[in-house]
């Protein structure tokens, strides 16, 4: 691949051993994917931040980069850790894993990462400009960066995003190239979607992911009342499929119209989401329908909630109390929780018996503890993982039903 004189200098060690290591790895990767050149990036978001994924080899790799003097040269944020880094007692985390997680988190910080430990980095400052290039991980965040912000990123692995942040560059291929961003499947939304209920959007997302694999969908018409609706749509789509971008004409910056989304070409095919598809998807994700309805947990905040989501939840639970046998958790970033604390929203949630947790993902934290139990969530992504990882049975419904079930201790089946 072509490298500029500055990039050649990096490769040859002009900017130190850490940059040399990172550029050598990126150049090899670029050659492997037949990228013609590197492209400068403005920011990055990297995983490899949860102990159960990185483990000893990951920690050693990160420490080696630190020892070589590597440091991010563009703003870099961190994906989820394994558990809430302050409330790990509440979550009964294994003390050895707590120490390992702290060491891993520390290595990320030493590389210059901003420790947001969140899968919704765009909510808390990592917001790219339209048309800018970046290197992001996270199957739910990448399509939001591409499809909602109009930034350009591939679905990186954690190490790739870290190396790109160290060099300020990434190979120019895939989503960085305009032609590859073209929509190729038209999604005709025929079913009625309640714009105040996230469950309809999560069902649409899950169903679409199953149909398209890694193709680029364009939705013919969608209305969103809350930001979390397109987040839950996107997250569910990434669970059942693997698209890097989605187009919503009028919302996606580069697609004012359907013709823009398809770059004036024709769709490879059209799919139609009907009422029957909606019902069938809900039945598939509702793995708890055969139970007596009693629930052990409620999980909200997948992807991590923003402040407006927490405000909506606080308004629903103000003055109410969750059932004593139900572990009700809502996941967000620490920065968002601090905002909630300053406005009193956090107190309302705590008084209702809700655990507002940060820094991690319910799947990573609850996996072992919820093994074989029953719960409710409003996220299709969480529903898929709860079954795959913990064999937990879940109901999938909207936030209002989650709150009602949390108070009653059971879901009406
Ligand atoms: Fe985030 Fe975990 Fe959901 S990383 S998108 S909360 S599965």
């Amino acid at each position: 691949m072509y490298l500029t004189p500055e990039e050649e200098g990096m490769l040859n060690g002009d900017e130190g051993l850490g940059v040399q290591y990172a550029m050598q790895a990126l150049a090899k990767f670029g050659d492997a994917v037949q990228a013609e050149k590197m492209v400068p990036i403005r920011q990055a978001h990297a995983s490899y931040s949860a102990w159960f994924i990185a483990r000893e080899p990951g920690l050693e790799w990160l420490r080696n980069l630190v020892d070589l003097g590597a440091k991010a040269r563009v703003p870099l944020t961190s994906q989820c850790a394994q558990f809430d880094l302050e409330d790990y007692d509440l979550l009964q985390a294994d003390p050895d894993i707590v120490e390992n997680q702290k060491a891993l988190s520390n290595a990320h910080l030493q590389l210059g990462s901003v420790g947001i430990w969140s899968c919704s980095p765009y909510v808390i400052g990592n917001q790219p400009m339209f048309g800018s290039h970046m290197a992001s991980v996270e199957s739910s965040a990448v399509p939001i960066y591409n499809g909602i912000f109009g930034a350009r990123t591939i679905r990186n692995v954690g190490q790739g995003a870290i190396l790109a942040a160290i060099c300020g560059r990434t190979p120019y291929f895939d989503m960085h190239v305009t032609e590859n961003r073209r929509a190729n499947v038209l999604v005709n939304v025929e079913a009625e979607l309640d714009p105040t209920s996230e469950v309809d959007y999560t069902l649409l997302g899950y169903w679409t992911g199953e149909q398209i694999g890694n193709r680029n969908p364009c939705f013919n018409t969608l209305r969103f009342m809350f930001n979390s609706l397109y987040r839950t749509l996107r997250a569910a789509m990434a669970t059942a499929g693997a698209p890097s971008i989605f187009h919503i004409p009028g919302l996606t910056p580069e697609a004012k119209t359907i013709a823009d989304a398809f770059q004036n070409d024709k769709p490879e095919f059209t799919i139609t989401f009907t009422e029957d598809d909606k019902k069938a998807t809900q039945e598939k994700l509702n793995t708890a329908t055969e139970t007596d309805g009693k629930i052990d947990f409620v999980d909200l905040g997948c992807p991590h909630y923003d402040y407006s989501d927490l405000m909506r939840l606080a308004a629903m639970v103000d003055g109410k109390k969750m059932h004593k046998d139900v572990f009700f958790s809502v996941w967000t970033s620490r920065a968002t929780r601090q905002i909630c604390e300053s406005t009193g929203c956090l107190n309302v949630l705590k008084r209702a018996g809700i655990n507002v947790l940060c820094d991690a993902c319910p799947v990573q934290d609850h996996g072992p503890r919820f093994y074989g139990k029953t719960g409710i969530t409003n996220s299709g992504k969480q529903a898929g993982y709860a079954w795959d990882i913990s064999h937990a049975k879940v109901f999938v419904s909207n936030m209002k039903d989650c709150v009602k079930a949390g108070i009653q201790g059971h879901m009406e089946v």
Side-chain angles (χ1 to χ4, degrees), residues 4 11 64 75 100 109 187 199 210 239 290 350 362 395:
T4 64
L11 195 68
N64 184 43
N100 288 332
L109 299 179
V187 186
V199 74
E210 285 183 320
T239 308
E290 299 297 309
K350 277 185 172 171
F395 297 99

Side-chain angles (χ1 to χ4, degrees), residues 79-80 118-120 122 138-141 231 235 239 300-304 331 360-364 379 381-382 385:
Q79 176 72 358
C80 299
S118 176
C119 54
S120 300
Y122 41 83
E138 170 50 37
S139 60
S140 72
R231 291 209 303 271
T239 308
L300 301 179
C302 169
H304 278 181
W331 292 81
C361 157
V363 166
Q364 294 159 15
S379 162
K381 184 170 183 181
Q382 202 51 222
Y385 285 173

Side-chain angles (χ1 to χ4, degrees), residues 4-5 14 29 40 50 53 65 84 115 166 195 198 207 244 305 328 413:
T4 64
D14 293 357
F29 175 49
I53 293 173
L65 279 173
D84 188 309
I166 291 167
E198 56 278 30
W207 177 86
S244 298
Y305 268 8
F328 194 127
V413 286

Side-chain angles (χ1 to χ4, degrees), residues 178-194:
T178 301
E179 301 83 272
N180 297 335
R181 301 169 64 84
R182 185 177 80 77
N184 34 36
V185 180
L186 180 63
V187 186
N188 184 23
V189 183
E190 194 182 276
E192 198 67 40
L193 302 186
D194 175 355

Side-chain angles (χ1 to χ4, degrees), residues 168-179:
R169 287 152 173 79
T170 194
Y172 180 73
F173 77 113
D174 192 63
M175 284 296 115
H176 294 286
V177 182
T178 301
E179 301 83 272

